[in-house]
Amino acid sequence: MPSERLPLFARRCRWLAIFATVTAAFPVLVILIQWMVPAWRAGVARAMAGFDAAQPITLTWPVELACVVLSLLYLAVLAWGLLAVRRLCLRLAEGRIFEPQTGLLLRRFGLALLIFACADPFVSSLIGLLITRYNAPGQHHFEFAIDDSEVLQAFVGMLILLIGSVMAEAARIAEENRQII
Amino acid sequence: MPITVHLDVMLARRKMRSKELAERIGITEANLSLLKSGHVKGVRFETLAKICQVLECQPGELLEYRPGDDETAPGARS
């Protein structure tokens, strides 16, 4: 990269690191706040299960707790990947571009995205089952759906995983070549 | 590593300092130090040619193969 572009590149990497941190933390905070407000809980539960307002649900405190834990675990995967992006961007901002760790952090994000995309339909179905578990007979609801955004997300995750693996190997070879005087 | 580098011997014979050699062949003093100690994965022919040109020697005077700790010579009997 031309040296005159490095400061601009570093600045952009630092901003992206901040954005990744906020994106990792924000959904977790939103979910927690939404579940803490009693009036919002039914709406959050329906949204997470993909139900409309007409679908009857029954929320008890164990069901609410299970939904919170499930949604936080699910978001933790994405947060893990985004924190890897943060570390990656900070390393890039320091000029540590072509190193094996760069590829490994990219791999981590790709893996997180892949897991997040694959888990989405299961998490929605499970939450749907939980919130209709105590409904009257005949009103239990189970739905399993995969939409194209999840497929695309999984594909992008796999692609980033592959690119990260290639970069890590390339950086390893470059490091070896650096030891050839 | 079965390859031993005798660069320090040749530098002493030619009464030349590492710093001067590094400057003349265009590598850093740190890399030259690594080369002298044998802590490198390899040497480019271009670098070897420049060293031989400056020190007026042959590659064989700089490098020696000793089948020692890491491997035995091909065909050697145990």
Side-chain angles (χ1 to χ4, degrees), chain B residues 2-3 5 10 13 17 39 41 47-48 62 67 70-72:
Chain B
I3 300 288
V5 180
M10 194 51 65
R13 278 190 199 163
R17 289 178 176 237
H39 291 131
K41 283 234 181 313
T47 307
L48 191 56
L62 295 170
D70 290 343
E71 60 188 68
T72 54

Side-chain angles (χ1 to χ4, degrees), chain A residues 35-110:
Chain A
W35 279 105
M36 280 197 297
V37 178
W40 292 351
R41 285 175 193 164
V44 173
R46 283 200 172 87
M48 293 186 74
F51 292 170
D52 57 28
Q55 174 64 42
I57 63 172
T58 308
L59 292 180
T60 61
W61 74 261
V63 168
E64 288 173 2
L65 183 63
C67 289
V68 171
V69 169
L70 204 53
S71 53
L72 286 178
L73 280 174
Y74 173 61
L75 287 173
V77 171
L78 186 63
W80 174 67
L82 286 168
L83 290 176
V85 170
R86 177 185 171 274
R87 278 181 61 193
L88 171 64
C89 290
L90 291 175
R91 290 176 71 94
L92 295 178
E94 288 169 11
R96 294 156 73 180
I97 297 169
F98 205 46
E99 294 179 2
Q101 190 68 4
T102 304
L104 294 173
L105 288 170
L106 206 55
R107 273 184 52 136
R108 195 176 291 180
F109 176 61

